[in-house]
């Protein structure tokens, strides 16, 4: 590096903005504040995060976000606390989502509990994969990963390896976990592929107008 370039890096650029390049109204500290709420009102970071979330979303959006991540039954009170809404609001929205098939409810001795409907959640994942632009490359990638594990351990499934007489080391147990994840991902991708092809064959679907003469089929 030349002495001139080194000096330039140490001292900064030689050309600075002129008065014409600067905004007409001077920038203040408030302009740099990334929060939409007054941060001076909060001493607890969790309270600040909750207030910011409440300011930037609707109550229904927060409830849907919370229930989407709820895999174990929770009461309306618990969901309301997490979603920063009233219990009545949470219960009303959750009951409506139950009617829509998005949420499951369970009546217990201590009251009603709610969780996301696993079938609905699975269908959402499959649908998102089906409309993704790189579905074929994802299928090929996962197939290669599964083939690698099968060749490496000379067995067709992680379950067979797990119940074998072979003593497994920690690295091999990690591989089994990744192998299982890849199998689950592949099953989702296969379902997404079938959904995608069904849409292509349906003249009334949004994708039915796609060029059916193009070769978009693989064999997952």
């Amino acid at each position: 590096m030349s002495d001139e370039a080194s000096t330039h890096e140490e001292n900064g650029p030689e050309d600075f903005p002129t008065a014409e390049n600067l905004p007409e109204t001077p920038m203040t500290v408030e302009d740099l504040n990334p929060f939409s709420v007054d941060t001076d009102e909060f001493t607890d970071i969790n309270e600040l995060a909750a207030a910011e979330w409440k300011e930037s979303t609707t109550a229904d959006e927060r409830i849907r976000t919370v229930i989407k991540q709820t895999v174990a039954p929770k009461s309306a009170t618990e969901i309301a606390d997490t979603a920063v809404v009233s219990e009545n609001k949470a219960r009303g929205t959750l009951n409506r989502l139950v009617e829509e098939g998005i949420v499951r409810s369970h009546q217990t001795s201590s009251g009603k509990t709610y969780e996301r409907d696993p079938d609905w959640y699975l269908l959402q994942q499959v649908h998102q994969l089906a409309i993704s632009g790189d579905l074929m490359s994802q299928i090929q990638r996962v197939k290669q990963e599964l083939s690698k594990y099968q060749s490496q351990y000379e067995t067709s499934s992680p379950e067979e390896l797990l119940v074998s007489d072979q003593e497994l080391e920690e690295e091999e147990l990690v591989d089994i976990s990744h192998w299982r994840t890849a199998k689950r991902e592949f099953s989702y991708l296969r379902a997404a592929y079938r959904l995608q092809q069904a849409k292509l064959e349906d003249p009334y679907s949004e994708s039915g107008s796609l060029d059916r003469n193009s070769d978009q089929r693989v064999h997952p």
Side-chain angles (χ1 to χ4, degrees):
M1 181 183 292
S2 65
D3 293 340
E4 182 179 352
S6 176
T7 302
H8 178 77
E9 283 190 359
E10 292 176 1
N11 298 334
E14 296 179 357
D15 297 327
F16 290 91
T18 64
E20 296 178 353
N21 300 130
L22 297 175
E24 296 181 1
T25 304
M27 191 174 251
T28 65
V29 175
E30 286 72 18
D31 296 323
L32 302 177
N33 187 2
F35 300 101
S36 56
V37 297
D38 186 359
T39 57
D40 293 336
E41 296 181 3
F42 301 92
T43 57
D44 184 274
I45 188 63
N46 292 325
E47 293 180 359
L48 172 60
E52 176 67 15
W53 190 28
K54 186 175 181 180
E55 180 70 21
S56 59
T57 58
T58 66
D60 281 344
E61 288 173 340
R62 294 194 299 277
I63 294 169
R64 285 176 177 268
T65 298
V66 172
I67 197 63
K68 186 178 179 181
Q69 301 170 357
T70 302
V71 295
K74 290 186 177 180
S75 68
T77 302
E78 293 174 300
I79 294 172
D81 289 343
T82 307
V84 199
V85 299
S86 69
E87 183 178 341
N88 286 339
K89 172 61 179 176
R91 183 174 288 105
T93 299
L94 289 167
N95 287 333
R96 187 173 71 250
L97 295 177
V98 170
E99 294 176 357
E100 295 176 10
I102 297 174
V103 172
R104 283 185 178 179
S105 64
H106 309 275
Q107 190 64 48
T108 68
S109 57
S110 56
K112 187 180 287 188
T113 59
Y114 304 85
E115 63 180 324
R116 75 183 187 196
D117 186 290
D119 294 338
W120 176 86
Y121 185 71
L122 173 59
L123 289 173
Q124 290 297 305
Q125 289 181 300
V126 169
H127 179 263
Q128 288 301 315
L129 287 171
I131 63 177
S132 65
D134 60 345
L135 181 57
M136 298 301 100
S137 62
Q138 291 185 71
I139 289 175
Q140 296 301 333
R141 172 184 57 79
V142 179
K143 285 181 71 173
Q144 291 174 4
E145 183 178 357
L146 292 173
S147 178
K148 181 195 74 171
Y149 285 128
Q150 290 170 352
S151 299
Q152 180 178 346
Y153 292 104
E154 298 180 345
T155 185
S156 61
S157 72
E159 288 75 23
E160 289 184 13
L161 179 60
L162 196 59
V163 299
S164 67
D165 295 332
Q166 178 182 344
E167 185 175 346
L168 301 174
E169 298 180 356
E170 181 177 353
E171 183 177 349
E172 293 170 325
L173 292 173
V174 171
D175 280 348
I176 287 176
S177 176
H178 291 167
W179 193 350
R180 282 177 160 174
T181 299
K183 279 189 62 179
R184 183 170 61 252
E185 183 179 0
F186 187 59
S187 68
Y188 290 176
L189 288 168
R190 283 171 63 93
Y193 170 81
R194 293 183 180 120
L195 175 59
Q196 188 181 77
Q197 294 306 311
K199 284 188 172 185
L200 288 171
E201 297 298 334
D202 182 2
Y204 300 104
S205 72
E206 291 183 0
S207 54
S209 59
L210 294 177
D211 183 7
R212 293 182 179 80
N213 295 322
S214 62
D215 184 11
Q216 301 187 47
R217 289 172 171 77
V218 296
H219 298 284

